[in-house]
Amino acid sequence: MKEIIVAYQGEMTLKGLNRGTFEAVLAKSMKYRLKDLGNFKVYKAQSCMYAEPMDDNCDVDAAFDRISKIFGIIRLSRSVVCDKDFDTICKTAEEYLGPTLRSCKTFKVEAKRSDKKFPMNSPEICRELGAYLLSKHPHLRVKVKDPDLVVMVEIRDFGAYIHGPKFPGAGGLPVGTSGRALNMLSGGLDSPVAAYYMARRGLALHHIHFASPPYTSERARMKVEELAGIISQYTGNCILYVVPYTKPQEYIRDHAPAVLFTVLMRRSMMRIASIIGHEIDVQALITGESLAQVASQTAWALACTDSAQDIPILRPLIGLDKTEIVEVARKIGTYETSIQPYEDCCTIFTPPHPKTRPTLTEILEAEAAMPGLAELEAQAAAEVERVRIRMDQPQEVEF
Ligand code: ATP
Ligand code: MG
């Protein structure tokens, strides 16, 4: 019995004439991510993508896990394919799903018949296959609403598909179909979650991290690389741009009013991110900011940060509470790494009483008193280090 994986497309089915492009990106992404797991054939039919093992060396369990992390897929199941002969269908369904049915109390059969030449219609298939399975498992009861297991049979041109239980997919849109963005990645809990959310909406991502050695350690930077690696399971391969930020940061500390320090630093980071963002042609910058989480994230402070440069800033966590962010961090596997206690450059030199309602006028005045800052920012951008972050696979996907 050969098991294949069926992945159901999500929102992309609503994309009208663009749907083909979305499907091509999704197929490419699936092929790439299954590459080291054996010889899988990836193809589409109706609103599903299929991953079919072509020999016995394919790791179907690992493939299922990988596909469950690919954006654009709303549900996925394993299935077997057999000849379109009703006896064979019954026997195959029993062989494949019998062990699961033994531990269920209720079930129902659903049938779809896209091959209209098949001699039985869908209600007949449901009735007859249901009766067959009941004869094998007399303890079962048919339940139409919310049964323990739905036995789904599809009669297609190439054969009959018997689907196992459906599991939730990662949702969203295939990575790369919404453009490209630069995610501002700190070592905290928020920014990896922000990256996950925006990749989920189809953005291909690179990350930028500001490091201020010796105030921030090598270990803090390794933590950020580790986080980028974990998120790459969702985002695909990417580059982590590490900006040597010590000089601009010290300059701001030494030349600006302490109460405005954090907002001035955030604007400075945005300008550097913007230089790199323009070089690599991104459509957006992403941050893990959440309204009023800290003084630099009040609506007043965010307005000041926004006006520092011209690339749109996306803040997917803006309306989320910390507890909600933590929940997602646990789900996507970044939590344990994020909570390791290494300092971030945003937490050094912070004043005890930062201004929560800064005005743009006072910010611009403070910047006018820092004539050397632009040069230091340009230098930091020029000295940026590029670190390749790869999923544990041999080649890169190019979007
Ligand atoms: P935490 O969970 O501690 O809030 P955080 O990453 O959200 O972590 P904040 O101080 O709230 O830290 O920073 C707000 C946002 O600014 C971050 O979500 C991130 O997008 C960006 N940021 C902060 N520090 C850095 C850094 N060193 N490099 C790149 N981006 C940073
Ligand atoms: Mg935060």
Side-chain angles (χ1 to χ4, degrees), residues 325-364:
I325 297 167
V326 163
E327 210 175 289
V328 182
R330 285 186 196 280
K331 188 179 95 179
I332 64 174
T334 53
Y335 178 80
E336 294 300 335
T337 306
S338 284
I339 59 169
Q340 288 172 20
Y342 298 104
E343 68 298 317
D344 179 57
C345 77
C346 262
T347 54
I348 58 175
F349 312 153
T350 47
H353 302 292
K355 216 166 187 180
T356 53
R357 298 187 178 194
T359 64
L360 191 55
T361 313
E362 61 188 342
I363 288 290
L364 293 177

Side-chain angles (χ1 to χ4, degrees), residues 190 288 293 297 322:
D190 302 331
Q293 188 185 78
Q297 293 170 31
K322 198 74 178 187

Side-chain angles (χ1 to χ4, degrees), residues 16-59:
L17 292 176
N18 292 327
R19 182 168 162 185
T21 316
F22 283 71
E23 285 176 340
V25 174
L26 183 57
K28 193 172 167 187
S29 188
M30 281 176 69
K31 274 184 206 154
Y32 178 74
R33 294 199 198 190
L34 301 185
K35 221 171 194 168
D36 61 336
L37 300 178
N39 182 14
F40 282 90
K41 182 175 160 197
V42 173
Y43 54 94
K44 74 171 177 72
Q46 276 118 23
S47 46
C48 292
M49 306 296 298
Y50 293 83
E52 182 174 344
M54 301 310 283
D55 56 44
D56 293 340
N57 300 324
C58 292
D59 187 342

